Amino acid sequence: MQSRIQQLLTALAVAMMVGIVGSTLASAEVEHRVDLNTASAAELATLPGIGDSKAKAIVEYRVADPFRSIEDLKKVKGIGDKTFEALKPSLKVSDASGTK
């Protein structure tokens, strides 16, 4: 009977650890966002669906007109709704007033 309780407690402890590690990893993914106004072209190119040419287009766009919201990314040629929706959780925008 005691070994059965130990097995149950061990299983419970493992389940709790998996939950803690899983939630930590999920929050780490959400916290690491690429800033459209400060990221290098190389960093932008690592985003899913963004290669070197789209990354260059993003940098060129922000030089002329810094991003005020992540939705402004759709104004860049080659970034449509589908690409934007896939990227949305990975993006952020810093204050554009100091970058212009």
Side-chain angles (χ1 to χ4, degrees):
M1 179 72 160
Q2 188 172 359
S3 72
R4 190 150 171 95
I5 292 172
Q6 285 177 327
Q7 288 175 339
L8 181 61
L9 289 174
T10 300
L12 182 59
V14 169
M16 288 175 55
M17 290 301 290
V18 168
I20 291 169
V21 170
S23 66
T24 301
L25 290 174
S27 66
E29 289 176 19
V30 171
E31 289 177 21
H32 178 71
R33 294 181 180 213
V34 175
D35 191 320
L36 292 173
N37 282 327
T38 61
S40 67
E43 188 176 6
L44 291 165
T46 66
L47 292 168
I50 304 294
D52 291 335
S53 62
K54 285 183 186 173
K56 184 179 174 186
I58 293 168
V59 171
E60 288 174 357
Y61 178 91
R62 79 171 180 221
V63 167
D65 188 17
F67 294 96
R68 288 169 183 75
S69 71
I70 61 172
E71 286 78 13
D72 285 348
L73 183 62
K74 293 190 280 186
K75 296 177 183 177
V76 176
K77 184 177 180 179
I79 308 290
D81 290 333
K82 188 175 179 181
T83 301
F84 173 74
E85 288 301 320
L87 293 171
K88 193 174 180 178
S90 303
L91 302 176
K92 69 178 180 178
V93 172
S94 61
D95 182 18
S97 62
T99 59
K100 199 164 189 177

